[in-house]
Amino acid sequence: MKAGTGLFSALALFLLLGAVLTQTPRQKKPTRRPGITRRRSVPKPAEPALPEPQEPTEFPPVILGPPSMYIDCPRECSCSPSYPNALNCENRNIRNIPVIPPQTQYLYLQNNFISEVTAEPFINATEIRWVNLANNRIHRIDKNVFEKVPALLYLYVQRNNLKEVPAGLPVSLEQLRLGRNRISKIPAGSFSHMGNLTLLDLYHNQLSDSGMGKNTFKDLKGLVQLNLAHNILKKMPAGVPSSLIQLFLDKNRIDNVPKDYFDGFTHLAFVRLNYNQLSDKGLPKTVFNITSLLDLQLSHNQLASVPLFNGHLEHLHLDHNSIESINGTQICPYSLEADPSDHNMGPRLRYLRLDGNHLSPPIPLDVIMCFRHLHSIVI
């Protein structure tokens, strides 16, 4: 009995040991997270270097015109059978004026890169009446050019780099446009014997009082429009011809108008003195009492009162000054007791601008009673 029990116990112990020996051991959890393996960065092969950006050329290439039936038509221009007397060379990027065909009367050279005008291209161009050289880079015009074109009527050279009025201008000229240059001087005799000139435009230059002599405009007996706006004048220009109809002096530094400045002007209808430095001290009360004057502009000055004016005036601009009051009785060109039914006797003022001053509505009754033709008043 004891021997059987011992045999059973030995057998159980043997089976237990076998199970323990055949069991797979459990792995321990790591106490620290394993490090991340990073890929080694491999340098990229160097890309070929881009070429340095090139600055644009100063002048774009010349644009050639279409083939022409005229053998003497320059390739950089166009000659139309519909206008056989016109040579169109505008907007072609040309640097030099081509040889002008002899039949040319109208020459268009605007919007190019011309820097100098010489006589050679005009040798056979004796019939030219109209030359447009606007918006180029012209700093010099040879005086011999005008000997080749004795019948020239219109010369447009605005938006260039001229520092002086060109010499040797033909006496035949009727219009001369020199606006937006760098002109600071008008040499003596520049307009000698030019009695045919009707329009002289010197707008937006650098003209001062010393750059013009007292006889600068002496020979311009037929001048109708003189534009000296946007310069650096401190005084009214001397010797302005009495034939003028339009005088433009905006954006200068003028602070004084001599009381007899407009004596003898019988056709002057438009005077513009906006953006100057005029005050009551420098403006005689009756200086604008001109029978022919229709439009007077004195905006953006330093006036404290309304100047007297003639009954024929139709437009008066006095905005942006220092006016504090307006008295219709004082400024009325005629008696307020005139018969209101007689419209021919009353002042002809139709437009009055007074905004930008120190005035407040309503409009004084005596102003309404005097200026019965007023259609618009800004206050």
Side-chain angles (χ1 to χ4, degrees), residues 46-243:
E47 296 182 1
L50 294 175
E52 289 293 323
Q54 297 294 317
E55 291 294 327
T57 57
E58 186 180 3
F59 303 116
V62 175
I63 300 173
L64 299 180
S68 174
M69 61 182 291
Y70 303 104
I71 59 173
D72 56 357
C73 181
R75 283 299 314 275
E76 55 268 62
C77 306
S78 65
C79 305
S80 171
S82 303
Y83 302 96
N85 297 325
L87 183 63
N88 297 289
C89 312
E90 71 272 23
N91 299 295
R92 300 284 181 172
N93 301 330
I94 63 177
R95 287 72 149 166
N96 300 301
I97 299 176
V99 176
I100 312 301
Q103 72 275 10
T104 304
Q105 294 184 11
Y106 304 92
L107 177 59
Y108 301 99
L109 288 161
Q110 65 268 30
N111 306 323
N112 283 294
F113 296 97
I114 300 166
S115 61
E116 190 172 2
V117 182
T118 58
E120 288 77 10
F122 296 89
I123 289 176
N124 298 317
T126 56
E127 299 298 319
I128 285 187
R129 302 290 188 273
W130 186 312
V131 176
N132 192 335
L133 286 160
N135 196 28
N136 276 278
R137 300 187 177 187
I138 298 168
H139 61 84
R140 176 179 173 271
I141 299 179
D142 191 336
K143 65 179 181 179
N144 296 326
V145 169
F146 304 113
E147 296 176 0
K148 310 297 182 184
V149 287
L152 186 63
L153 299 177
Y154 303 96
L155 178 60
Y156 296 171
V157 202
Q158 62 266 37
R159 293 181 179 271
N160 279 282
N161 298 323
L162 293 175
K163 293 184 178 180
E164 288 187 0
V165 170
L169 293 168
V171 297
S172 57
L173 266 188
E174 293 182 4
Q175 290 191 15
L176 177 59
R177 296 182 183 269
L178 296 169
R180 289 189 174 272
N181 276 273
R182 302 175 183 177
I183 297 172
S184 60
K185 182 181 180 182
I186 304 177
S190 293
F191 304 127
S192 294
H193 310 296
M194 295 182 63
N196 293 317
L197 195 68
T198 59
L199 183 148
L200 177 56
D201 185 1
L202 287 160
Y203 164 79
H204 210 302
N205 277 282
Q206 299 171 13
L207 284 168
S208 63
D209 301 325
S210 61
M212 300 185 300
K214 63 179 182 179
N215 295 321
T216 296
F217 308 109
K218 177 183 176 182
D219 292 337
L220 302 180
K221 304 297 185 182
L223 197 63
V224 171
Q225 183 187 110
L226 176 59
N227 191 346
L228 290 167
H230 216 302
N231 281 279
I232 50 176
L233 300 175
K234 292 184 177 180
K235 299 179 180 179
M236 298 290 285
V240 174
S242 59
S243 58

Side-chain angles (χ1 to χ4, degrees), residues 217-226 237-247 260-269 290 292:
F217 308 109
K218 177 183 176 182
D219 292 337
L220 302 180
K221 304 297 185 182
L223 197 63
V224 171
Q225 183 187 110
L226 176 59
V240 174
S242 59
S243 58
L244 274 188
I245 294 177
Q246 300 176 335
L247 177 60
D260 57 349
Y261 186 82
F262 295 109
D263 288 359
F265 285 81
T266 56
H267 306 288
L268 190 63
I290 309 166
S292 59

